[in-house]
Amino acid sequence: GHAAPTLQQITWATQTAARYLPGTTCLVQGLAALRLGTSAGYPVTMNIGTTKEVNGALKAHAWVEYQGQVILGAAEGINYTPLLVWAERGWRSARAEQS
């Protein structure tokens, strides 16, 4: 009998754990939130995308969404192009998800 955690609790727990684990990346946090969210019954999706920096370097980022809203890994002021998305069916090309 325990109630499932809320998405806010899952996000908080993921971010809090990351502060205490050196080297935790957005990918690691995203995978943790994805696992916790889906285990609690939320249809969350995880995205992996890239952007090109001013100096031409490619930068990657992972973030988690619920019903189209970013719940973990919001990148303020940076527009990442989604490449892969994990939905309930597994990894897919972001282009396949958009069509």
Side-chain angles (χ1 to χ4, degrees):
H2 295 284
T6 66
L7 284 172
Q8 292 81 10
Q9 290 171 323
I10 290 169
T11 300
W12 174 85
T14 303
Q15 292 171 330
T16 301
R19 284 195 293 271
Y20 292 97
L21 297 169
T24 303
T25 64
C26 57
L27 179 61
V28 171
Q29 290 180 57
L31 289 169
L34 176 69
R35 177 70 170 120
L36 292 170
T38 55
S39 292
Y42 298 104
V44 295
T45 59
M46 182 173 141
N47 300 275
I48 297 176
T50 60
T51 190
K52 199 174 219 181
E53 295 184 325
V54 176
N55 66 2
L58 192 64
K59 185 175 181 180
H61 184 58
W63 64 97
V64 179
E65 295 181 359
Y66 176 70
Q67 296 181 342
Q69 298 295 314
V70 177
I71 62 166
L72 182 75
E76 295 186 27
I78 301 175
N79 190 16
Y80 287 90
T81 302
L83 300 176
L84 292 172
V85 64
W86 173 275
E88 52 197 77
R89 299 177 308 275
W91 288 109
R92 302 265 186 212
S93 161
R95 285 188 178 183
E97 286 295 312
Q98 294 171 355
S99 52

mmCIF file of all heavy atoms in Angstrom, residues 4-16 33 36-37 40 42 44 66 69-72:
data_model
loop_
_atom_site.group_PDB
_atom_site.id
_atom_site.type_symbol
_atom_site.label_atom_id
_atom_site.label_comp_id
_atom_site.label_asym_id
_atom_site.label_seq_id
_atom_site.Cartn_x
_atom_site.Cartn_y
_atom_site.Cartn_z
ATOM 1 N N ALA A 4 1.686 5.979 -5.348
ATOM 2 C CA ALA A 4 2.753 6.255 -6.317
ATOM 3 C C ALA A 4 3.255 7.680 -6.095
ATOM 4 O O ALA A 4 2.482 8.576 -5.752
ATOM 5 C CB ALA A 4 2.227 6.099 -7.730
ATOM 6 N N PRO A 5 4.551 7.905 -6.287
ATOM 7 C CA PRO A 5 5.074 9.273 -6.145
ATOM 8 C C PRO A 5 4.528 10.175 -7.241
ATOM 9 O O PRO A 5 4.200 9.711 -8.335
ATOM 10 C CB PRO A 5 6.585 9.093 -6.288
ATOM 11 C CG PRO A 5 6.749 7.829 -7.061
ATOM 12 C CD PRO A 5 5.578 6.955 -6.696
ATOM 13 N N THR A 6 4.439 11.454 -6.938
ATOM 14 C CA THR A 6 4.017 12.418 -7.955
ATOM 15 C C THR A 6 5.193 12.705 -8.876
ATOM 16 O O THR A 6 6.348 12.413 -8.548
ATOM 17 C CB THR A 6 3.550 13.728 -7.306
ATOM 18 O OG1 THR A 6 4.681 14.342 -6.670
ATOM 19 C CG2 THR A 6 2.428 13.493 -6.298
ATOM 20 N N LEU A 7 4.905 13.308 -10.012
ATOM 21 C CA LEU A 7 5.982 13.699 -10.919
ATOM 22 C C LEU A 7 6.903 14.717 -10.261
ATOM 23 O O LEU A 7 8.114 14.698 -10.478
ATOM 24 C CB LEU A 7 5.412 14.262 -12.222
ATOM 25 C CG LEU A 7 4.867 13.223 -13.187
ATOM 26 C CD1 LEU A 7 4.164 13.894 -14.347
ATOM 27 C CD2 LEU A 7 5.968 12.317 -13.686
ATOM 28 N N GLN A 8 6.352 15.596 -9.444
ATOM 29 C CA GLN A 8 7.171 16.572 -8.738
ATOM 30 C C GLN A 8 8.134 15.872 -7.772
ATOM 31 O O GLN A 8 9.292 16.263 -7.655
ATOM 32 C CB GLN A 8 6.287 17.573 -7.968
ATOM 33 C CG GLN A 8 5.493 18.490 -8.850
ATOM 34 C CD GLN A 8 4.200 17.851 -9.397
ATOM 35 O OE1 GLN A 8 3.784 16.770 -8.983
ATOM 36 N NE2 GLN A 8 3.586 18.524 -10.347
ATOM 37 N N GLN A 9 7.664 14.836 -7.107
ATOM 38 C CA GLN A 9 8.530 14.079 -6.201
ATOM 39 C C GLN A 9 9.616 13.331 -6.972
ATOM 40 O O GLN A 9 10.769 13.271 -6.530
ATOM 41 C CB GLN A 9 7.698 13.100 -5.371
ATOM 42 C CG GLN A 9 6.821 13.776 -4.346
ATOM 43 C CD GLN A 9 5.846 12.813 -3.695
ATOM 44 O OE1 GLN A 9 5.312 11.904 -4.341
ATOM 45 N NE2 GLN A 9 5.606 13.012 -2.395
ATOM 46 N N ILE A 10 9.276 12.784 -8.106
ATOM 47 C CA ILE A 10 10.255 12.073 -8.936
ATOM 48 C C ILE A 10 11.325 13.045 -9.425
ATOM 49 O O ILE A 10 12.521 12.758 -9.360
ATOM 50 C CB ILE A 10 9.552 11.361 -10.112
ATOM 51 C CG1 ILE A 10 8.713 10.191 -9.590
ATOM 52 C CG2 ILE A 10 10.562 10.901 -11.167
ATOM 53 C CD1 ILE A 10 7.779 9.578 -10.610
ATOM 54 N N THR A 11 10.907 14.214 -9.901
ATOM 55 C CA THR A 11 11.852 15.225 -10.374
ATOM 56 C C THR A 11 12.750 15.683 -9.240
ATOM 57 O O THR A 11 13.972 15.772 -9.389
ATOM 58 C CB THR A 11 11.090 16.423 -10.980
ATOM 59 O OG1 THR A 11 10.311 15.944 -12.071
ATOM 60 C CG2 THR A 11 12.044 17.489 -11.482
ATOM 61 N N TRP A 12 12.164 15.963 -8.095
ATOM 62 C CA TRP A 12 12.936 16.412 -6.922
ATOM 63 C C TRP A 12 13.958 15.343 -6.525
ATOM 64 O O TRP A 12 15.126 15.652 -6.287
ATOM 65 C CB TRP A 12 11.996 16.716 -5.755
ATOM 66 C CG TRP A 12 12.744 17.026 -4.502
ATOM 67 C CD1 TRP A 12 13.250 18.239 -4.124
ATOM 68 C CD2 TRP A 12 13.112 16.096 -3.468
ATOM 69 N NE1 TRP A 12 13.912 18.116 -2.922
ATOM 70 C CE2 TRP A 12 13.839 16.808 -2.502
ATOM 71 C CE3 TRP A 12 12.896 14.736 -3.280
ATOM 72 C CZ2 TRP A 12 14.341 16.210 -1.356
ATOM 73 C CZ3 TRP A 12 13.406 14.136 -2.137
ATOM 74 C CH2 TRP A 12 14.118 14.873 -1.201
ATOM 75 N N ALA A 13 13.530 14.094 -6.440
ATOM 76 C CA ALA A 13 14.432 13.016 -6.024
ATOM 77 C C ALA A 13 15.586 12.852 -7.012
ATOM 78 O O ALA A 13 16.740 12.665 -6.607
ATOM 79 C CB ALA A 13 13.649 11.704 -5.900
ATOM 80 N N THR A 14 15.295 12.942 -8.286
ATOM 81 C CA THR A 14 16.328 12.800 -9.316
ATOM 82 C C THR A 14 17.341 13.936 -9.223
ATOM 83 O O THR A 14 18.555 13.706 -9.245
ATOM 84 C CB THR A 14 15.687 12.769 -10.719
ATOM 85 O OG1 THR A 14 14.740 11.694 -10.767
ATOM 86 C CG2 THR A 14 16.721 12.556 -11.789
ATOM 87 N N GLN A 15 16.862 15.166 -9.104
ATOM 88 C CA GLN A 15 17.753 16.324 -9.010
ATOM 89 C C GLN A 15 18.557 16.305 -7.711
ATOM 90 O O GLN A 15 19.739 16.646 -7.706
ATOM 91 C CB GLN A 15 16.954 17.617 -9.128
ATOM 92 C CG GLN A 15 16.377 17.811 -10.503
ATOM 93 C CD GLN A 15 15.414 18.975 -10.577
ATOM 94 O OE1 GLN A 15 14.735 19.318 -9.606
ATOM 95 N NE2 GLN A 15 15.336 19.597 -11.740
ATOM 96 N N THR A 16 17.927 15.897 -6.618
ATOM 97 C CA THR A 16 18.622 15.843 -5.326
ATOM 98 C C THR A 16 19.721 14.792 -5.353
ATOM 99 O O THR A 16 20.845 15.047 -4.914
ATOM 100 C CB THR A 16 17.622 15.563 -4.188
ATOM 101 O OG1 THR A 16 16.643 16.608 -4.177
ATOM 102 C CG2 THR A 16 18.321 15.505 -2.843
ATOM 103 N N ALA A 33 14.853 9.460 -14.158
ATOM 104 C CA ALA A 33 13.490 9.998 -14.131
ATOM 105 C C ALA A 33 12.559 9.196 -15.041
ATOM 106 O O ALA A 33 11.395 8.972 -14.706
ATOM 107 C CB ALA A 33 13.496 11.467 -14.531
ATOM 108 N N LEU A 36 11.798 5.921 -13.114
ATOM 109 C CA LEU A 36 10.910 6.176 -11.986
ATOM 110 C C LEU A 36 9.516 6.571 -12.452
ATOM 111 O O LEU A 36 8.508 6.118 -11.893
ATOM 112 C CB LEU A 36 11.502 7.265 -11.087
ATOM 113 C CG LEU A 36 12.765 6.892 -10.320
ATOM 114 C CD1 LEU A 36 13.372 8.127 -9.666
ATOM 115 C CD2 LEU A 36 12.473 5.815 -9.287
ATOM 116 N N GLY A 37 9.461 7.422 -13.466
ATOM 117 C CA GLY A 37 8.165 7.879 -13.971
ATOM 118 C C GLY A 37 7.339 6.763 -14.577
ATOM 119 O O GLY A 37 6.147 6.621 -14.275
ATOM 120 N N ALA A 40 6.008 4.380 -12.027
ATOM 121 C CA ALA A 40 4.891 4.935 -11.266
ATOM 122 C C ALA A 40 3.633 5.078 -12.129
ATOM 123 O O ALA A 40 2.594 5.524 -11.643
ATOM 124 C CB ALA A 40 5.283 6.288 -10.681
ATOM 125 N N TYR A 42 3.371 6.875 -15.136
ATOM 126 C CA TYR A 42 3.277 8.099 -15.943
ATOM 127 C C TYR A 42 3.859 7.842 -17.329
ATOM 128 O O TYR A 42 4.955 7.311 -17.449
ATOM 129 C CB TYR A 42 4.057 9.240 -15.288
ATOM 130 C CG TYR A 42 3.529 9.627 -13.940
ATOM 131 C CD1 TYR A 42 4.197 9.237 -12.777
ATOM 132 C CD2 TYR A 42 2.376 10.394 -13.813
ATOM 133 C CE1 TYR A 42 3.718 9.593 -11.527
ATOM 134 C CE2 TYR A 42 1.896 10.755 -12.563
ATOM 135 C CZ TYR A 42 2.565 10.349 -11.427
ATOM 136 O OH TYR A 42 2.094 10.701 -10.197
ATOM 137 N N VAL A 44 5.839 9.164 -19.409
ATOM 138 C CA VAL A 44 6.871 10.174 -19.663
ATOM 139 C C VAL A 44 7.692 9.765 -20.873
ATOM 140 O O VAL A 44 7.764 8.585 -21.231
ATOM 141 C CB VAL A 44 7.783 10.388 -18.427
ATOM 142 C CG1 VAL A 44 7.004 10.973 -17.275
ATOM 143 C CG2 VAL A 44 8.467 9.106 -18.017
ATOM 144 N N TYR A 66 6.488 15.223 -19.914
ATOM 145 C CA TYR A 66 5.212 14.595 -19.588
ATOM 146 C C TYR A 66 4.122 15.434 -20.241
ATOM 147 O O TYR A 66 4.028 16.632 -19.987
ATOM 148 C CB TYR A 66 5.002 14.521 -18.072
ATOM 149 C CG TYR A 66 3.655 13.978 -17.681
ATOM 150 C CD1 TYR A 66 3.340 12.644 -17.873
ATOM 151 C CD2 TYR A 66 2.696 14.811 -17.126
ATOM 152 C CE1 TYR A 66 2.104 12.142 -17.518
ATOM 153 C CE2 TYR A 66 1.456 14.319 -16.763
ATOM 154 C CZ TYR A 66 1.164 12.971 -16.958
ATOM 155 O OH TYR A 66 -0.070 12.481 -16.600
ATOM 156 N N GLN A 69 5.240 18.746 -21.779
ATOM 157 C CA GLN A 69 5.893 19.735 -20.919
ATOM 158 C C GLN A 69 7.187 19.153 -20.347
ATOM 159 O O GLN A 69 7.192 18.011 -19.865
ATOM 160 C CB GLN A 69 4.970 20.126 -19.756
ATOM 161 C CG GLN A 69 3.678 20.778 -20.196
ATOM 162 C CD GLN A 69 3.919 22.117 -20.871
ATOM 163 O OE1 GLN A 69 4.685 22.940 -20.381
ATOM 164 N NE2 GLN A 69 3.283 22.326 -22.012
ATOM 165 N N VAL A 70 8.262 19.928 -20.382
ATOM 166 C CA VAL A 70 9.538 19.472 -19.828
ATOM 167 C C VAL A 70 9.429 19.429 -18.308
ATOM 168 O O VAL A 70 9.068 20.425 -17.677
ATOM 169 C CB VAL A 70 10.697 20.392 -20.257
ATOM 170 C CG1 VAL A 70 12.000 19.941 -19.610
ATOM 171 C CG2 VAL A 70 10.833 20.416 -21.770
ATOM 172 N N ILE A 71 9.704 18.259 -17.725
ATOM 173 C CA ILE A 71 9.664 18.129 -16.270
ATOM 174 C C ILE A 71 11.058 17.977 -15.671
ATOM 175 O O ILE A 71 11.239 18.127 -14.474
ATOM 176 C CB ILE A 71 8.763 16.960 -15.820
ATOM 177 C CG1 ILE A 71 9.296 15.614 -16.344
ATOM 178 C CG2 ILE A 71 7.325 17.200 -16.236
ATOM 179 C CD1 ILE A 71 8.680 14.408 -15.688
ATOM 180 N N LEU A 72 12.042 17.678 -16.505
ATOM 181 C CA LEU A 72 13.415 17.545 -16.033
ATOM 182 C C LEU A 72 14.354 17.858 -17.191
ATOM 183 O O LEU A 72 14.175 17.334 -18.293
ATOM 184 C CB LEU A 72 13.699 16.125 -15.525
ATOM 185 C CG LEU A 72 15.098 15.897 -14.973
ATOM 186 C CD1 LEU A 72 15.226 16.536 -13.589
ATOM 187 C CD2 LEU A 72 15.410 14.427 -14.873
#
